[in-house]
Amino acid sequence: MNENFMGGRVVVKFGDITQEETEAIVNAANSTLMGGGGVDGAIHDAAGASLLYECKKIRQSNYPNGLPTGEAVITAGGDLKAKFVIHAVGPIYGSNKGKDAQLLSDCYANCLRLAAENNIKTVSFPSISTGAFAYPKEEAAQVSSQVIEDFLNHNLTITQVFLVFYSQDDARKFVENPKFS
Ligand code: AR6
């Protein structure tokens, strides 16, 4: 099942994001940038040791206390097909004093901004925060679709955004709850 929005600029699919061939893939990281479980673990495994090495350098130089929630940084893709990985820290649902939606939106916006600044034309996102960080999938769909639409309406560098869900059921939950106009 591949569902399209915005005239094909947004494609919803299901699969393993480590296999995507877009120029960049997004990692749902945590503030340590040192890897973890879920999609973060899968991306670090598939990319190889250079990813962790670059993340350590970023921590040392710019974020000694960790990458704040809602922000994103970019590294090379190591052994991945994608040339770049954009590492974003999503909100842990319910622990941000009512600012979960804003922080999730910031995450997507910062990833898209970094992609455009690096002249990246195609980018794949996992469903940030909807695993270990427990963001309800239907709510996340409404937040992510809105921020992606806003961004793409004002930016022509990025030609296509892929939303890669790990199951058909998760992809369906997105397709049934988007806020695209
Ligand atoms: N491809 C695509 N989607 C995936 C894959 C994959 N290979 N693996 C999992 N997902 P999560 P979070 C989906 O927990 O909620 C990590 O330990 C998964 O089904 O990976 O942002 C980090 O280090 C879910 O819908 O990320 C952090 O500590 C979505 O990816 C923390 O978890 C996100 O699930 C981040 O939690």
Side-chain angles (χ1 to χ4, degrees):
M1 177 217 72
N2 275 13
E3 190 98 19
N4 298 336
F5 295 91
M6 295 188 75
R9 285 182 83 193
V10 178
V11 179
V12 177
K13 59 187 289 190
F14 108 94
D16 176 359
I17 200 167
T18 64
Q19 300 305 310
E20 286 298 303
E21 296 185 359
T22 45
E23 282 177 72
I25 65 171
V26 171
N27 182 17
N30 60 56
S31 65
T32 71
L33 296 179
M34 294 296 108
V39 73
D40 194 5
I43 288 174
H44 274 271
D45 283 350
S50 66
L51 202 67
L52 186 58
Y53 179 72
E54 264 200 82
C55 287
K56 280 184 177 160
K57 281 203 306 192
I58 290 171
R59 279 291 309 277
Q60 281 164 7
S61 54
N62 294 333
Y63 296 100
N65 299 320
L67 184 65
T69 303
E71 297 196 16
V73 295
I74 189 165
T75 65
D79 297 336
L80 291 166
K81 292 172 190 160
K83 203 168 162 202
F84 299 97
V85 176
I86 300 172
H87 307 258
V89 183
I92 299 172
Y93 192 74
S95 64
N96 299 285
K97 300 183 181 144
K99 294 212 159 70
D100 292 322
Q102 186 58 54
L103 289 164
L104 187 62
S105 180
D106 290 350
C107 243
Y108 280 88
N110 282 322
C111 289
L112 291 166
R113 176 186 52 76
L114 269 180
E117 283 172 5
N118 286 276
N119 206 27
I120 290 165
K121 293 180 172 36
T122 55
V123 52
S124 298
F125 282 88
S127 183
I128 298 171
S129 282
T130 64
F133 285 177
Y135 209 114
K137 289 171 181 171
E138 293 81 359
E139 278 181 47
Q142 300 196 356
V143 173
S144 59
S145 53
Q146 195 153 40
V147 61
I148 290 167
E149 180 172 41
D150 283 352
F151 191 93
L152 293 184
N153 275 337
H154 296 99
N155 182 286
L156 297 177
T157 304
I158 299 172
T159 56
Q160 249 186 339
V161 170
F162 292 81
L163 302 178
V164 183
F165 292 89
Y166 211 30
S167 72
Q168 292 272 19
D169 194 47
D170 287 353
R172 185 186 52 74
K173 279 186 186 141
F174 178 89
V175 166
E176 288 172 358
N177 289 281
K179 275 205 166 171
F180 291 109
S181 48

